[in-house]
Amino acid sequence: MSIKVFIDGAAGTTGLQIRERLAHAPRFEVVQLRDEDRKSPPARAQAMNTSDFTILCLPDDAAREAVSLADEHVRIIDASSAHRTSPGWVYGLPELSAQQEEDIRQARRVSNPGCYPTGAILLLRPLVDAGLLPSSHQASVFAVSGYSGAGAGMIREYEGAHAAGEDIAPLRGYALSLKHKHQPEMRDYAGLTCTPHFMPVLGDYAQGILLYIPLHASMLSDNAGAKDLHAALAQHYANSEYVSVQPPFESGTTAYLRPDSLNGTNKVNLYVLADADGSRFTLAAVYDNLGKGASGAALQNLMIMAGA
């Protein structure tokens, strides 16, 4: 018997990618609405309540409204940011802890991680759990994402400018008020008590994230160094299918980190970068904002919940 999946918001970027990937998964049947019914609450409610799983690919307010249409038995994966820190929802980052995958497997309500928080939490949480970073650490996070991370409107803006031969800035920093909806999520699931300082930037390329977190030796516990940071991350992700801790770069080598190097995958590469005297470090993550940062993460959670 096939597993029925309803994607509410299937016409958006994330929804389209999920539907495309499920087309190659024979155990799953995607429940589709007629175009004229896509915004009909009764039609959407019927699709949700007769499916095994519903994936919400909607703006936050619309996602909250959609949940109100679902019966209690419906198992929901919400790809919006509406429920990421809400009581009763399981955070959909299986690599968060040893227990997280089992919590997702049993859950009826799972909230997909945000694209930026995915990298920040994967880097910070193991170090907090290992006692190398205190929970009171005031983290700084800098990240560059492809413009697809800002949604369909931004995709149209960039691709329209490209098609018209118009000039568009190669980088655009935003959230200049230093407030961003991803910050509470980063704080809570990284195990921190202080809200991180977060500076996001959009690049003039389609997809892929490069995320940096700077550290100084004085921030670490017990005179820890790069080897300790690397070992803690490597131990935490030793059995992970998708998260890999990369070897240190050899001193004097010329190397680059490309934000698009893992596009089209659900993989994340983590790095510990260090200066020669061991006083300064940078944690880095590279991954696809539309893969592990969106549709790939939703599918990973779906496979766990469905036992597939």
Side-chain angles (χ1 to χ4, degrees), residues 59-228:
D60 289 4
D61 288 344
R64 295 185 186 96
E65 185 265 341
V67 172
S68 72
L69 300 175
D71 292 341
E72 185 63 29
H73 74 275
V74 178
R75 303 186 75 185
I76 296 175
I77 299 169
D78 183 7
S80 82
S81 62
H83 299 101
R84 288 178 186 155
T85 58
S86 297
W89 287 76
V90 173
Y91 192 59
L93 187 60
E95 298 86 1
L96 182 69
S97 67
Q99 180 62 32
Q100 199 68 15
E101 183 169 331
E102 185 57 30
D103 289 347
I104 293 168
R105 193 184 318 279
Q106 301 297 329
R108 295 204 174 275
R109 300 286 188 268
V110 171
S111 183
N112 231 41
C115 55
Y116 290 123
T118 292
I121 293 164
L122 289 174
L123 287 166
L124 290 168
R125 178 63 179 264
L127 306 184
V128 174
D129 286 351
L132 297 175
L133 273 179
S135 60
S136 60
H137 174 66
Q138 297 179 338
S140 293
V141 180
F142 172 81
V144 181
S145 172
Y147 55 76
S148 61
M154 193 63 70
I155 293 173
R156 287 193 296 270
E157 179 179 337
Y158 271 87
E159 294 185 351
H162 295 161
E166 297 173 358
D167 181 55
I168 195 163
L171 294 174
R172 296 203 287 188
Y174 63 105
L176 303 183
S177 66
L178 304 188
K179 290 185 178 181
H180 193 285
K181 65 181 181 179
H182 286 331
Q183 286 167 298
E185 179 186 354
M186 287 184 188
R187 177 195 63 219
D188 291 357
Y189 295 109
L192 300 174
T193 58
C194 297
T195 299
H197 185 142
F198 176 47
M199 292 301 297
V201 173
L202 285 182
D204 185 16
Y205 63 97
Q207 65 192 81
I209 286 180
L210 173 57
L211 182 143
Y212 286 133
I213 300 176
L215 296 173
H216 192 277
S218 62
M219 301 172 177
L220 306 180
S221 304
D222 301 325
N223 298 313
K227 290 184 178 180
D228 302 292

Side-chain angles (χ1 to χ4, degrees), residues 226-238:
K227 290 184 178 180
D228 302 292
L229 298 174
H230 192 278
L233 292 172
Q235 180 177 357
H236 187 94
Y237 299 113

Side-chain angles (χ1 to χ4, degrees), residues 12-93:
T13 304
T14 299
L16 286 170
Q17 288 209 350
I18 293 172
R19 188 168 65 181
E20 181 181 341
R21 296 185 188 201
L22 283 177
H24 304 287
R27 286 191 59 191
F28 294 90
E29 174 189 347
V30 176
V31 176
Q32 299 189 53
L33 296 179
R34 298 178 303 174
D35 287 347
E36 57 266 33
D37 289 334
R38 286 193 330 205
K39 295 186 179 180
S40 165
R44 291 164 58 216
Q46 182 180 15
M48 287 184 198
N49 295 322
T50 57
S51 296
D52 298 296
F53 296 92
T54 290
I55 304 177
L56 305 179
C57 301
L58 301 166
D60 289 4
D61 288 344
R64 295 185 186 96
E65 185 265 341
V67 172
S68 72
L69 300 175
D71 292 341
E72 185 63 29
H73 74 275
V74 178
R75 303 186 75 185
I76 296 175
I77 299 169
D78 183 7
S80 82
S81 62
H83 299 101
R84 288 178 186 155
T85 58
S86 297
W89 287 76
V90 173
Y91 192 59
L93 187 60

